[in-house]
Amino acid sequence: MNIKTHLGTICIGALAGSLVACPGPEPEAFDCDAQEAAFQASFADDGVLLPEIPDSNSFPMALALSELGINNLLTGVVGGNVPFASDLDLGLIKINFVPVAAPTISIVKVPNCTKCVLFHVDFSFQIKTGDDPGGAGIGGADVVIPLRLQQNDDGSSSLVAGYEAARVDNMVLNAMGFEINDIDHPNVQGLFEILITEGLQKQFGTTELLRFAPWAIGGNQVKVAARKFAIYHDTKVIVLGMQTNLDLPRSASLQIGGALPMGIPMEVQMHPGLLLAMSQRMITEGEISRNYNDKGAPDPDGLYGVTLESMAPNNIPNSNQLEVGFRVWRTEEGYCGYADAITTLQLDLSEEDAISVTPTDELRVTGGEGIGEIAATDQELVNKNKNLIETFKRDLSEQVGITVNYKELAVEGSTILFDTLALRVDRSKINIDIDFQVVANEG
């Protein structure tokens, strides 16, 4: 009888709990003390948290807004009270503006402001001096609105519109056939732009558009914050690069600034390395079990252990699957070791308007050491530990689902209603296309 086959039959039985020892001298690779030490060392650096969220130019996560998205935010947050859609008090006179068409916000290059958007509106207006009418007409104007990132005391971060520094440009007023413009009446036009700029700054002030809260996952120790804000004029997107206090490798970095699909207001983008680190953190926190007993049930004193080794999109186009590499360890009761295995998780859009993550039946052993090396030849380790593996896959799927469904976005005084439109998983990025509405809270 081939000695390896003999050892495989007896020792895999030990792995299943039916035998506790194998005859003959114990090879060094099966030594349980050595395997326990290797097991403990293998996850020592998994799920480590940094003291602070780092300032870095590489980002594992990003939120991108198209022109449509920034329109939804700016008009939704302040409701109908947008520039030139309300009464404006200029001191001695009041002007009532009424848009004659929907205002538009454009992502275009603005002189002397690299982080501004351009608000344009065509309107009718009526001037009042006290209670007396003082004229009426039509016109149009641009408002240059600076955007900026704000770090909050509670650990969250906000995208804000700096109306307190907004300015009115390119105003044209036509009253009873008399047009005020920058060519024929530059001084008069300039005076109106100054007065209306001052009125808008006073009326609106700083306005929060989006607030990014920490993840509501595990023990809530993992943080995420927007750390970089950039406007990409060529692709017409605004991108907020988001960083985390998870200790990530430099390779877990997105390429940001690409155009969004037509008609998509918002896209959440995640590097697969972020999902791996978050999942490893959830094992560290105990949301996913590290140890299991011989029945495959979670047990902190169990003789089996699991470590998560890799997580990345597979090579099948349009499959929306993540390939997961994990290691099953046996560290007690003689003839120890580990086996490496691979499975896949399926990502889809659910009927509940969320991203579902479900384990698949795919499972294969790719190698191992000690008893796991023997198991790798006939997959006996998998067959004898099916309950353990099913529990691990189920819990892992749940935590990955919580991570990819990040919607910890809020606006003070309003509710954001999300509608997940599409999901795309490629080799370097998970893209989640989202539509949304901003609804003012009652009261």
Side-chain angles (χ1 to χ4, degrees), residues 200-223:
L200 288 177
Q201 291 176 353
K202 180 180 178 180
Q203 181 169 324
F204 289 97
T206 301
T207 301
E208 182 182 82
L209 302 179
L210 272 180
R211 179 172 293 227
F212 304 87
W215 261 296
I217 185 171
N220 297 335
Q221 298 180 48
V222 180
K223 308 296 181 185

Side-chain angles (χ1 to χ4, degrees), residues 47-91:
V48 173
L49 297 182
L50 301 171
E52 302 288 341
I53 296 176
D55 286 321
S56 169
N57 288 324
S58 63
F59 301 96
M61 180 175 173
L63 186 142
L65 293 162
S66 65
E67 285 185 331
L68 176 59
I70 202 67
N71 270 276
N72 288 353
L73 278 180
L74 279 170
T75 57
V77 169
V78 296
N81 189 28
V82 295
F84 298 104
S86 58
D87 290 338
L88 193 63
D89 190 345
L90 301 182

